[in-house]
Amino acid sequence: MPPGGGGPMKDCEYSQISTHSSSPMESPHKKNKIAARRKWEVFPGRNKFFCNGRIMMARQTGVFYLTLILILVTSGLFFAFDCPYLAVKITPAIPVVGGILFFFVMGTLLRTSFSDPGVLPRATPDEAADLERQIDIANGTSSGGYRPPPRTKEVIINGQTVKLKYCFTCKIFRPPRASHCSLCDNCVERFDHHCPWVGNCVGKRNYRFFYMFILSLSFLTVFIFAFVITHVILRSQQTGFLNALKDSPASVLEAVVCFFSVWSIVGLSGFHTYLISSNQTTNEDIKGSWSNKRGKENYNPYSYGNIFTNCCVALCGPISPSLIDRRGYIQPDTPQPAAPSNGITMYGAMQSQSDMIWDQ
């Protein structure tokens, strides 16, 4: 209550609280609790959320559903039409091994698709304005009507100079290896690529699950293709090739799908095995950022110089917590991320990033 506790002000405050309630004595704390919103509801990126913010995906999920259909239909036909025959003629272990591979593939796919890939929070208006003033003072420039030239910082990582680029959308200096995804409209930590097949970005927090998905999918595809061919051969020895195809038309469909997909899946698995062994990302490899030879000037500062160590770090290291707290409640006095300004007048970054020293 303000000093003096005047009657008119008191009446005004109570009338505002009870505007949408039939009870004038309803607790303000209860109203705030009812009106509280979670952060995912006002998330600035182009993402879709499900299960009250627990599931996070990109908006374009059509190709992801195609991935699900291909895996489910092909595997379902295999278990329904091929496994009963193979379990009797060869060994019951075939459907067991196939089932283990199938559930592992689905688990890693959903884990990749439904998780935060490592989205970096955007700067708040106060953070953006504060850093903008610092940059203007450092550059000796004043706010003008034209977009300033690209602004960067430099840090030293294992003797290699790495530039930190400024994101005009998120208003932060991106940490090393981070990049802004144009489809999801987020800066993603250790950004690898945006994968429409999994319906999400692939970054620091879900890369290992993506790699395990494509690797296990390679084994599952080869497994199904090999035993479908085995099934057809065994039947053809009894009834002839054409009759074998007539008796099991589902096997033909499975063989066609597996034959045309196995090359790209196995090739992709091999490519990412190479990236993991050299501790690179797809984004860095496409841009040719680093050389695998330590003696060159643009050597990779993130590589540990050992294939085994690089693989252990990528696949067995701890998973960092999500930085966006998408299921947290929005507090009334919490500043929201600054709106994009096309880089003309606003410039910002998170305080923790502007003072951070990255060590490998």
Side-chain angles (χ1 to χ4, degrees), residues 213-234:
F213 163 65
I214 58 175
L215 187 63
S216 59
L217 184 60
S218 299
F219 284 114
L220 179 62
T221 306
V222 172
F223 181 86
I224 292 178
F225 183 70
F227 281 104
V228 164
I229 298 300
T230 302
H231 179 200
V232 173
I233 292 174
L234 292 177

Side-chain angles (χ1 to χ4, degrees), residues 141-199:
T141 59
S142 59
S143 177
Y146 297 96
R147 175 172 177 153
R151 307 174 186 183
T152 60
K153 287 185 177 181
E154 291 185 349
V155 294
I156 304 297
I157 299 178
N158 293 330
Q160 182 73 276
T161 301
V162 178
K163 289 186 177 182
L164 308 183
K165 295 182 179 179
Y166 175 75
C167 178
F168 287 99
T169 300
C170 301
K171 302 185 183 302
I172 61 173
F173 275 111
R174 294 194 288 260
R177 316 189 85 176
S179 184
H180 191 90
C181 176
S182 59
L183 294 176
C184 294
D185 200 27
N186 296 312
C187 279
V188 179
E189 198 170 6
R190 198 186 181 278
F191 178 77
D192 191 86
H193 68 290
H194 181 94
C195 182
W197 295 99
V198 301

Side-chain angles (χ1 to χ4, degrees), residues 40 65 76 92 99 121 126 147 155 178 208 231 252 302 306 309 330 335 337 351:
W40 66 266
Y65 294 124
D126 290 341
R147 175 172 177 153
V155 294
R208 70 178 60 181
H231 179 200
V252 179
Y302 308 109
N306 181 280
T309 305
I330 301 174
Q351 182 176 356

Side-chain angles (χ1 to χ4, degrees), residues 177 179 191-194 268 271-272 274-275 278 280-292:
R177 316 189 85 176
S179 184
F191 178 77
D192 191 86
H193 68 290
H194 181 94
L268 187 63
F271 173 67
H272 280 277
Y274 155 74
L275 292 179
S278 58
Q280 291 188 81
T281 65
T282 301
N283 190 43
E284 292 169 345
D285 183 75
I286 292 176
K287 293 180 178 179
S289 303
W290 313 115
S291 171
N292 290 329

Side-chain angles (χ1 to χ4, degrees), residues 46-48 56-61 113 184 194 199-201:
R46 291 196 288 266
N47 294 89
K48 293 194 296 187
M56 176 180 183
M57 299 183 69
R59 287 187 183 176
Q60 299 84 4
T61 54
S113 303
C184 294
H194 181 94
N200 204 350
C201 286

